[in-house]
Amino acid sequence: MNLADLNTIARAMVAPGKGILAADESSGTIKKRFDVIGVESTETSRRDYREMMFRSKQAMSDYISGVILYDETIWQDAADGTPLVKLIEQAGGIPGIKVDEGTQPLPNCPGELITVGLDKLAERLAKYYKQGARFAKWRAVIDIGAGIPSYAAVHTNAHALARYAALCQQAQIVPIVEPEVLMDGDHDIDRCYEVTEFVLKETFQELYYQKVALEGMILKPNMAVAGKKSAKKAGVQEVAEKTVKLLKSCVPAAVPGIAFLSGGQSDEEATAHLDAMNKIGGLTSGLPWGLTFSYGRALQAAPQKAWSGKADNVAAGQAAFTHRAKMNSLASKGEWSSDLESKKAA
Ligand code: 13P
């Protein structure tokens, strides 16, 4: 492992004003997204959609540091035969790859899941590195409900995240460590805070035990938010203050950057929350790590709708993607305001 090189990549992933495009929806998930816009999910339509984004010059060069790809996409060529990985690299972006293989029920823990995919991961990482991947992602999911999460679910998922991260670093690939506490429940923001604190503490403990070099990784957490079904919504400032407090108490300063998932927040909420956190950071200059985005839904919902599977709509899809990428770039510097939302990117 060359830690200096891993650290250079990790810092580039969270470079000022840049964030990560999570375009790594599995075939099942992208089908659900395409169903909403009335597009049949085929190998070609998935390629065309992703090619549209990767050819968005301004977005990819100015606002996006890297792209998380799904296994199918990393091997695909654009319509003119250029590998999609090359399109990302030509725009100055870093290709990344989702390497977990989804979730399975965790035995003896009703309603809880464990992320799988460690078997043969070392061999798969070597192939992905050859294909151009310089970072990877593994997502663990922790649900909040009556009596859950259990210690077993938090611990086994943290253990798997650390095993994945250690294997990545050995393969000279920067691991994005993603322990996602879901926002599906009816819990309030304080319960989300408490569970996320438990999950992050456990994750960093496992990373330490398994000798993962913190300088060569990126954390991808959820924010502290109320569950979608909660009667008690939290405002933007409360989300920002509690999330910053939580991260300060759990994430060592050696970690170069934190890139949030959007987790089902609306586009504008995800941007407003990121912006408010960076405004706090700007005021205190007290944040040791970069705070940026690694959004899937919050970056792609608008371009998906604008594109809707039609070649004639490629420019509209690219404009919608560029706008969201620009808004989040501003938010990553604490320079966003809601009145910028009405001014579409050029
Ligand atoms: P969302 O931003 O849609 O939550 O997706 C990010 C991601 O990569 C989830 O694993």
Side-chain angles (χ1 to χ4, degrees):
M1 172 179 70
N2 178 333
L3 184 54
D5 286 356
L6 287 175
N7 179 253
T8 301
I9 299 277
R11 283 189 292 113
M13 289 163 70
V14 296
K18 291 198 176 187
I20 299 162
L21 165 64
D24 59 321
E25 301 84 359
S26 64
S27 300
T29 301
I30 197 79
K31 183 182 178 311
K32 280 192 224 149
R33 308 274 185 263
F34 279 12
D35 283 348
V36 174
I37 53 169
V39 174
E40 192 190 348
S41 181
T42 64
E43 218 178 300
T44 308
S45 66
R46 294 191 288 271
R47 191 275 312 274
D48 289 347
Y49 168 63
R50 286 161 173 154
E51 180 176 350
M52 172 196 80
M53 287 190 293
F54 305 162
R55 285 193 189 275
S56 301
K57 277 214 174 63
Q58 189 192 350
M60 293 296 295
S61 310
D62 296 351
Y63 312 131
I64 300 294
S65 57
V67 182
I68 316 175
L69 301 166
Y70 186 58
D71 177 73
E72 175 184 86
T73 319
I74 200 168
W75 307 106
Q76 271 179 328
D77 291 338
D80 70 359
T82 313
L84 292 182
V85 165
K86 282 276 163 309
L87 290 185
I88 296 167
E89 289 170 349
Q90 280 162 7
I94 309 166
I97 181 77
K98 168 194 172 78
V99 299
D100 68 70
E101 295 179 325
T103 54
Q104 286 179 3
L106 183 62
N108 304 322
C109 297
E112 298 193 282
L113 301 168
I114 178 74
T115 301
V116 298
L118 288 169
D119 288 352
K120 309 231 168 64
L121 181 55
E123 289 94 317
R124 288 165 57 221
L125 287 168
K127 286 187 199 145
Y128 289 139
Y129 185 91
K130 265 201 195 141
Q131 186 66 7
R134 292 296 176 269
F135 70 91
K137 163 190 138 170
W138 177 287
R139 172 176 175 256
V141 275
I142 301 293
D143 208 354
I144 300 180
I148 62 169
S150 65
Y151 176 66
V154 172
H155 175 71
T156 46
N157 274 291
H159 182 81
L161 273 167
R163 285 205 55 207
Y164 140 82
L167 284 163
C168 283
Q169 291 191 334
Q170 197 175 52
Q172 205 53 40
I173 286 181
V174 171
I176 293 183
V177 173
E178 180 178 0
E180 176 175 7
V181 176
L182 296 174
M183 58 181 287
D184 293 337
D186 59 6
H187 53 274
D188 65 10
I189 185 171
D190 293 325
R191 176 78 178 129
C192 175
Y193 184 111
E194 181 183 73
V195 171
T196 307
E197 184 174 36
F198 177 21
V199 168
L200 290 177
K201 296 270 185 207
E202 192 68 20
T203 300
F204 279 99
Q205 187 77 354
E206 282 297 321
L207 290 168
Y208 171 67
Y209 286 148
Q210 296 184 45
K211 304 186 196 302
V212 172
L214 300 183
E215 296 83 355
M217 64 161 274
I218 295 292
L219 180 71
K220 177 163 172 167
N222 54 285
M223 299 175 194
V225 288
K228 274 191 218 149
K229 293 181 223 136
S230 173
K232 224 168 96 194
K233 293 279 165 238
V236 171
Q237 199 54 29
E238 184 180 6
V239 168
E241 281 169 15
K242 288 189 172 166
T243 305
V244 166
K245 178 170 157 39
L246 169 65
L247 294 172
K248 275 185 167 177
S249 76
C250 296
V251 184
V255 173
I258 296 176
F260 292 101
L261 56 94
S262 59
Q265 300 177 38
S266 74
D267 301 2
E268 216 173 307
E269 263 171 4
T271 306
H273 289 152
L274 179 63
D275 179 67
M277 282 185 243
N278 279 304
K279 283 193 165 85
I280 295 173
L283 278 180
T284 62
S285 298
L287 304 183
W289 1 253
L291 277 188
T292 192
F293 58 92
S294 174
Y295 295 158
R297 282 163 286 182
L299 270 176
Q300 294 185 64
Q304 270 160 18
K305 203 164 156 220
W307 171 67
S308 286
K310 299 195 175 64
D312 285 352
N313 292 340
V314 164
Q318 290 178 329
F321 174 52
T322 305
H323 178 70
R324 280 273 42 91
K326 183 177 181 178
M327 294 299 101
N328 285 303
S329 162
L330 289 168
S332 74
K333 296 183 283 186
E335 293 172 5
W336 174 85
S337 72
S338 59
D339 45 300
L340 294 170
E341 285 293 338
S342 48
K343 296 179 199 144
K344 283 269 175 243

